[in-house]
Amino acid sequence: MKVLIVEDALPLATVYGHQLSRAGLDSLHVETGADALSRLRKGGISVVLLDLQLPDMSGMDVLASIREERLPVTVVVVTSSGSIKTAVDAMQAGAYDFIVKPVAEERLVTTTRNALERETLTEVVEEVVKPAQGKIQHGFVGSSLPMTAVYKMIESVARSNASVFITGESGTGKEVCAEAIHRSSPRAKKPFVPLNCAAIPKDLIESEIFGHIKGAFTGATSDRDGAAARADGGTLFLDEICELELNLQAKLLRFLQSGTVQKVGSDSLKKVDVRIVCATNRDPLEEVEAGRFREDLYYRLHVLPIGLPPLRARGTDVLELARHFLGQFSGEEGKDFEEFSVEAEEALLAHSWPGNVREMQNTIRNLVVLNEGPIVGSDMLTTLQGRVPATPRSEGAPVARLDPDVRNAASAAAPVGSGNWPALTLPLGQSFDTLERKIIEATIDACGGSLPKTARVLEVSPSTLYRKKEIWAEQDGQSEDAEEVAAETA
């Protein structure tokens, strides 16, 4: 693992190289941005120490190229410019850390080691999810860690006959998950019978599940097997299980306990062998606490839980899905779309996807039908306009997008005459970590306390903000403990 020093001042580069060498770190040196990019494209570099003032181009331009070409390196910016704006711009453009000249040896070595550890972890994660990239796994597209965990869970529970309870927002693929469990199970050659409890009239749901005999009710002109009987030997999938009325929940519980089906209007019982997989977009425990779902039924069904992550929590799965659907719908519609522009990918990643994968499908089909290829531009993503508007920017500046509720939160927090965002005064003479915390906390306040919204504004991962808040809380706790000790010993 090598460190690339991009510095036009040879004495400084020599000092950095010696300091890293003493710490056991291997480094190379180039003087220009063009040479840096050329060397990075050859591979073998893990961390870049990047000066922003280069003879042929700005270090920000190098950062932009690294991001656009998706070069697998971690960048630490080293510059004599210590302005807050420069720091924020560099971090938003993809830099991992930002240190100001003159750099103490301990700070340089520690930051470089941290960057190397980050790059090593990234490579390990990519290796773990590598088999899933570009492939359809159990009917899903995506190689993120949350989805990799789902794939492993599907493979684990498929071998069992125990009930599975799938939770997740609408559009996350709960039925796809249920089918995957069935196909991977020993019951795969038997029927998979799905039933949406929310889509069937309440007076017919019992008949749909258990069946009926001729004359059981008006319109019952012949005997009919229900979903439970049709799934004999296979899997019965009850979608939106929390929509069942309490009296029908009692009958479902009896069926689960006895394994027998009693048709509506009949006195006879029929033994069936059915595995139950159910799903809901609600919180089942909240439904139990509210008295809308039987506690005994909940514990009977909630044996093997699987939680499907929303699309906004799946990182670059957004782009994998978009490319998959682009290829699929282009073929279906006879179009020649090949790829997304960088701006279009930024817009896809910036969107919060409240409708999850289903919304993604509709978005991509819409642009394929209404436009011509081969490149998808951001202007073609018309269904996202109004939800994630782009703010004006100067050439080369990073994109920041706000959805309407973020703008409203910012406007509500802003004093009269300050525009959409409140003013923030940062006194000089403070460490970068302190200034970074003040910027982030001020943005959180302006976004109404929402970390996901703050992450979209600052263009960082929500997990980064959660981790920083945990670190700050721990530091604050240590400070309070120190103050208490000092007070007791005074």
Side-chain angles (χ1 to χ4, degrees), residues 59-60 63-67 87-95 396-398 458-459:
M60 296 297 290
L63 264 174
S65 296
I66 290 173
R67 185 177 184 180
V88 172
D89 286 349
M91 300 295 280
Q92 287 185 337
L458 297 179
E459 290 195 345

Side-chain angles (χ1 to χ4, degrees), residues 82-256:
S83 71
I84 299 304
K85 184 181 184 304
T86 303
V88 172
D89 286 349
M91 300 295 280
Q92 287 185 337
Y96 164 70
D97 207 344
F98 181 96
I99 50 182
V100 180
K101 299 175 183 178
V103 185
E105 180 174 354
E106 181 180 357
R107 167 72 164 150
L108 178 72
V109 172
T110 299
T111 301
T112 304
R113 279 182 172 158
N114 289 341
L116 283 168
E117 289 176 2
R118 176 182 184 270
E119 190 60 30
T120 301
L121 179 60
T122 300
E123 291 173 1
V124 170
V125 169
E126 288 177 350
E127 188 64 29
V128 169
V129 303
K130 195 173 184 179
Q133 290 181 348
K135 298 180 180 178
I136 298 178
Q137 295 274 316
H138 298 295
F140 291 96
V141 174
S143 55
S144 64
L145 283 179
M147 290 308 297
T148 302
V150 170
Y151 304 150
K152 292 181 178 178
M153 191 68 178
I154 289 172
E155 293 164 3
S156 297
V157 306
R159 297 187 291 268
S160 172
N161 277 323
S163 299
V164 180
F165 205 121
I166 305 170
T167 56
E169 297 178 7
S170 294
T172 50
K174 296 186 287 295
E175 185 168 346
V176 174
C177 182
E179 286 190 78
I181 293 170
H182 173 74
R183 287 196 306 269
S184 302
S185 75
R187 297 173 175 265
K189 294 183 179 179
K190 296 294 183 177
F192 172 80
V193 181
L195 191 68
N196 190 326
C197 301
I200 301 171
K202 294 179 180 180
D203 54 347
L204 294 179
I205 187 68
E206 181 179 359
S207 170
E208 289 294 325
I209 296 176
F210 302 116
H212 62 259
I213 63 172
K214 181 179 180 179
F217 51 84
T218 303
T221 57
S222 61
D223 290 0
R224 183 173 183 272
D225 285 336
R230 297 198 305 275
D232 191 13
T235 303
L236 174 61
F237 174 53
L238 298 176
D239 197 7
E240 303 303 342
I241 186 76
C242 289
E243 299 296 330
L244 287 180
E245 292 187 335
L246 288 171
N247 65 330
L248 191 54
Q249 291 178 28
K251 294 179 181 180
L252 178 60
L253 179 63
R254 186 168 63 248
F255 161 62
L256 295 174

Side-chain angles (χ1 to χ4, degrees), residues 91 96 432-433 436-437 440-441 460 462-475:
M91 300 295 280
Y96 164 70
F432 176 75
D433 289 341
E436 178 191 52
R437 177 174 181 176
I440 292 175
E441 288 181 338
V460 298
S463 61
T464 299
L465 298 183
Y466 284 112
R467 186 168 62 252
K468 286 185 180 294
K469 284 181 68 67
E470 289 176 358
I471 293 172
W472 296 336
E474 183 177 344
Q475 291 172 345

